Amino acid sequence: MMLAGFLRGKPVEMVKCVTVDLEVPANAEIVLEGYVELGEMRREGPFGDHTGYYSLADDYPVFHVTCVTQRRDPVYATTIVGPPPMEDFYMGKAIERIFLPLLRLQLPEVRDMCMPAEGIFHNLMLVSIRKSYPGHARKVMSAIWGTGRRCFSKCIVVVDEDVDVQNLSEGRVAGAEQYRPGARHPVHHGPDRFAWIMPAAS
């Protein structure tokens, strides 16, 4: 609700639910109330994923619905999932631009970022920074992995501020010309992820 209030420029009006002790937005289109029993799982899937592939069937928690409320003639918002770029690409690009100022509040050295469709948005992040000291790129990359959903970024490419990360050709050239894995600027390993640190940016 904090993000919704930030985007609207005013607080979101909330109301109490009918069957559970929670509040929901007063103008929500559809509200599903219910509960989840700890440990109760059921097999679901496979699902078509935004990567253009199917995710495997797996066990997921079961949600027991106790009440459904809705507006008169509610709108059910959804997207079509398929091989990228689809609708979610444009949503991802909007999120990238909306969150850049917030990221820069935490990391003022960040000049720009790009999460291209080629990386399925969260898997690849190109970041340009204004470097102030050796190792600055490592600090930025570690901080990015510590900011909410960006922990899912599998590859972060950090470049100097003079590289236009929105121009993927320019970003690729900078990476190809300067990347030296395992040399003076090593690959940063984490759980299921890595990052390119450009010599000039590191």
Side-chain angles (χ1 to χ4, degrees), residues 82-149:
M86 295 292 279
E87 293 169 323
D88 56 348
F89 164 72
Y90 302 100
M91 294 167 64
K93 184 52 82 172
I95 289 169
E96 169 196 301
R97 302 327 295 166
I98 290 168
F99 278 96
L100 178 60
L102 297 177
L103 179 64
R104 291 185 68 188
L105 285 176
Q106 294 177 299
L107 301 166
E109 60 269 47
V110 170
R111 306 322 312 148
D112 198 5
M113 72 171 174
C114 178
M115 296 185 290
E118 290 83 351
I120 316 297
F121 326 120
H122 57 78
N123 290 327
L124 171 62
M125 179 182 277
L126 310 175
V127 181
S128 61
I129 66 168
R130 178 173 292 157
K131 187 181 82 170
S132 299
Y133 52 86
H136 200 162
R138 287 190 185 99
K139 177 257 189 187
V140 168
M141 151 183 99
S142 296
I144 288 172
W145 276 326
T147 55
R149 306 285 294 175

